[in-house]
Amino acid sequence: MYVGQDVGGRDVQVAAADVAQYRAGVAGDDLPSEPAPALLYHSEVYRDLSWYLPNLIGNLHARQEWQLFHPMRVGDVVRSRVTVVERYRKRDRDYVVAEVLWTTPDGCWRQRSRTHQSFLAELPAADVVVDKDRARRADRRFELPSGAGERLPPRTQTVTHAMCEAFSGPSRNYHTDVDMARALGFPDIVVQGMMSVCFVADAMALQFGDGWQYGGTLDVRLVNVVWPRDAITTTGLARSVVPEGSHERVLVDVWSTKNDGTVTAIGTASALRRRSDA
């Protein structure tokens, strides 16, 4: 694996079945039917894992960035390209960053994302390397934004095995199968980190509509593992509004928590909104 590695891509025609599977994977019955969800192909980066480091034990999705330029609609033909763009080390983990660029066949950009995947730098001595008590450590506690401002209406989803199958299946993997999760050093199925990212994206879509699909941004750190049966509440707080042509950009602090207050994802997002004085 090296920076600049071309992982390849594919041509896809956006299908109604893809949209239905996405909605099943995120319990998204309240999502609009058109256009397609912005993160419809959330796991394109994982179709080919040749960019992964060899040590898969305890590997985790650590951070996700997204830029949206234009929505996808059922029937559209789009093209993906995956490239390794960065490597870095933090504490006892090595990180690899893979970028996915979605375009039309003639090269017009639709969206770009960057996935930060972390791998243990050394082989672990224990069979379980990420347990359910990890979230109680002091370094896994996070102070949430507070104060006055526009609130992102809270959305709560209780993660079920059926959601994991729809989101991360149909193949057996550590997001859908307990035995495979244990083989990689986890005590239970690890709910795919991208699901939490999609929860944030869907909350932004419901609040801002086209202003999310045309020009939305997202930068979220995945700070604690989500397990099956966890109830995840996603919300946010607007921290500033800045002019952008005839629109304004709303900058939002976003986060997700479990029922016990454990923070699972935290970061920022933004969307466009037409200015009232334009």
Side-chain angles (χ1 to χ4, degrees):
M1 199 293 305
Y2 57 92
V3 172
Q5 178 181 345
D6 180 0
V7 186
R10 60 174 181 146
D11 289 345
V12 177
Q13 184 169 33
V14 179
D18 296 338
V19 175
Q21 183 171 352
Y22 178 93
R23 291 165 69 101
V26 297
D29 292 340
D30 55 345
L31 298 176
S33 56
E34 279 288 337
L39 274 57
L40 177 65
Y41 297 117
H42 50 77
S43 293
E44 185 69 13
V45 71
Y46 297 122
R47 287 181 58 84
D48 180 341
L49 298 183
S50 61
W51 58 277
Y52 265 35
L53 296 181
N55 180 21
L56 299 182
I57 304 298
N59 83 88
L60 290 170
H61 186 176
R63 178 183 172 190
Q64 187 65 46
E65 302 172 84
W66 225 286
Q67 291 175 287
L68 306 174
F69 306 112
H70 192 285
M72 299 181 188
R73 302 183 186 278
V74 171
D76 286 353
V77 175
V78 289
R79 176 172 296 165
S80 69
R81 201 72 190 181
V82 183
T83 308
V84 176
V85 295
E86 189 177 359
R87 283 189 65 166
Y88 58 94
R89 168 75 70 92
K90 286 177 64 176
R91 294 185 292 275
D92 61 344
R93 286 183 171 266
D94 289 316
Y95 292 74
V96 182
V97 184
E99 178 177 280
V100 180
L101 179 64
W102 282 101
T103 68
T104 62
D106 59 356
C108 292
W109 286 24
R110 288 296 179 253
Q111 56 182 250
R112 179 173 66 175
S113 64
R114 289 189 170 192
T115 299
H116 299 240
Q117 197 77 15
S118 77
F119 304 83
L120 286 170
E122 304 291 340
L123 286 173
D127 291 335
V128 175
V129 296
V130 178
D131 60 27
K132 294 187 178 183
D133 290 330
R134 179 174 182 260
R136 298 188 179 95
R137 290 179 359 208
D139 64 338
R140 310 312 302 173
R141 300 288 179 173
F142 300 86
E143 185 174 347
L144 297 177
S146 61
E150 179 181 348
R151 286 273 176 178
L152 205 60
R155 294 178 76 242
T156 300
Q157 284 104 337
T158 298
V159 180
T160 65
H161 190 264
M163 288 171 63
C164 293
E165 289 280 359
F167 195 90
S168 305
S171 63
R172 290 177 64 246
N173 56 69
Y174 74 118
H175 302 305
T176 63
D177 184 89
V178 174
D179 290 337
M180 294 193 73
R182 289 172 178 163
L184 291 180
F186 302 99
D188 199 350
I189 287 172
V190 176
V191 176
Q192 188 175 341
M194 205 69 84
M195 188 184 292
S196 291
V197 177
C198 289
F199 289 162
V200 173
D202 294 342
M204 291 291 290
L206 289 169
Q207 182 73 354
F208 295 101
D210 283 349
W212 168 245
Q213 290 271 8
Y214 291 92
T217 67
L218 182 67
D219 187 353
V220 172
R221 289 179 295 144
L222 302 165
V223 294
N224 281 304
V225 176
V226 176
W227 310 99
R229 296 171 295 282
D230 281 343
I232 305 300
T233 298
T234 302
T235 188
L237 177 66
R239 63 160 125 157
S240 63
V241 179
V242 296
E244 192 166 311
S246 61
H247 290 68
E248 58 188 15
R249 182 168 294 278
V250 185
L251 303 173
V252 185
D253 290 316
V254 291
W255 62 91
S256 297
T257 56
K258 302 183 185 185
N259 278 344
D260 63 1
T262 298
V263 178
T264 60
I266 189 168
T268 60
S270 74
L272 294 175
R273 182 168 60 195
R274 184 167 291 277
R275 290 165 53 186
S276 57
D277 61 348

